[in-house]
Amino acid sequence: MKQPDDPNTQPTPESGQPNATPGGRREIRDHEYRQRILSAARTLLTTQDLESVTMHQIAKESGVGQGTLYRRYPHIGDICSDLIKSTTQQFVGEMEERYGSLGPDDRGLAVLETCLRDFITFVDKHVSPLAMISSMHAADKRHHTILQKPFFVRLHGLIVPLLERAVAQGDIEPLDVTLTANIILLSLMPEPYLFHKNNLGYTKESFIDGICRLFVKGL
């Protein structure tokens, strides 16, 4: 008969769940706090203006003490980063799968336009947490520029080959593809998108059309 402390008799935690053994109690508590914080942040970001959401509100909504909240997330942008991390990783992975391997007859500019449309649609859907993350990086000098974050590095790695292909196909004149890709990504940051949408009355569709006229047809 197996002894109670036989490892083969211990319950196996479900995939993605914290360890439920006595030694994993802190992990369970940390997991619960994280879920409560992220749930509260998601609710506030979708029901209030971006600028009005504060760490105090998130702590109150989640039922987590402010000291605990700040130990886990020093800035609201860190909460947003955690909130949207899996979503951004999935999105970039899908983009890389869709546009990272093209056939010989695919036109670089045509694919670039589709890529930009997909990206702007993603920004529009997740603009609140993305804007908060971008704001955090702009305000905190300890962080790298937003263009050095893996999300944008991977998108840059998609855009550059499309521009190079368009040059090789004779659809555009030779240009600095690195600089051009950086300028394209900077123009699609959530802050300028929100400004055009909220202050200038652009719709998602009119913004997409304008960006594609500038960076696809304009090239």
Side-chain angles (χ1 to χ4, degrees):
M1 181 176 180
K2 294 180 180 179
Q3 298 300 314
D5 60 349
D6 188 323
N8 291 324
T9 68
Q10 299 300 315
T12 300
E14 295 181 10
S15 176
Q17 298 297 316
N19 195 330
T21 60
R25 286 173 183 168
R26 174 183 288 273
E27 184 182 356
I28 293 174
R29 184 185 62 188
D30 289 347
H31 177 76
E32 291 175 349
Y33 281 162
R34 176 175 177 267
Q35 294 305 311
R36 285 161 57 184
I37 291 168
L38 295 182
S39 177
R42 184 181 296 108
T43 298
L44 291 169
L45 287 168
T46 55
T47 58
Q48 299 187 23
D49 292 336
L50 175 65
E51 296 79 6
S52 69
V53 179
T54 66
M55 293 287 277
H56 174 73
Q57 285 180 306
I58 294 174
K60 184 177 180 180
E61 179 76 16
S62 65
V64 173
Q66 289 196 65
T68 299
L69 176 63
Y70 275 102
R71 282 194 296 273
R72 296 168 185 279
Y73 300 102
H75 188 282
I76 192 170
D78 296 312
I79 298 177
C80 292
S81 292
D82 196 7
L83 185 64
I84 202 171
K85 181 178 180 180
S86 62
T87 303
T88 55
Q89 289 177 339
Q90 179 180 351
F91 170 73
V92 177
E94 290 172 352
M95 293 280 280
E96 289 171 337
E97 183 177 352
R98 190 177 303 139
Y99 304 118
S101 180
L102 303 177
D105 297 328
D106 289 317
R107 309 301 296 183
L109 277 185
V111 177
L112 175 62
E113 178 172 355
T114 305
C115 184
L116 294 180
R117 289 181 179 276
D118 286 349
F119 184 44
I120 296 170
T121 298
F122 176 81
V123 170
D124 179 75
K125 184 176 181 180
H126 304 284
V127 68
S128 291
L130 287 173
M132 190 64 75
I133 294 167
S134 181
S135 174
M136 174 190 69
H137 287 290
D140 192 341
K141 302 305 180 183
R142 295 172 300 171
H143 286 83
H144 295 300
T145 174
I146 195 70
L147 288 173
Q148 292 177 295
K149 300 301 291 182
F151 177 69
F152 292 97
V153 170
R154 291 169 68 182
L155 288 173
H156 187 276
L158 282 175
I159 293 175
V160 165
L162 296 177
L163 292 170
E164 292 174 337
R165 174 180 284 244
V167 171
Q169 292 171 332
D171 292 333
I172 59 175
E173 296 293 326
L175 46 70
D176 186 330
V177 294
T178 296
L179 176 62
T180 303
N182 284 338
I183 296 301
I184 290 174
L185 288 174
L186 286 171
S187 73
L188 303 182
M189 293 292 102
E191 290 94 336
Y193 178 73
L194 278 176
F195 175 77
H196 283 84
K197 188 173 182 179
N198 295 341
N199 295 75
L200 301 180
Y202 281 72
T203 64
K204 181 186 75 173
E205 291 72 22
S206 63
F207 186 83
I208 288 174
D209 290 342
I211 289 294
C212 288
R213 278 195 300 271
L214 181 62
F215 290 117
V216 178
K217 299 178 177 65
L219 291 176

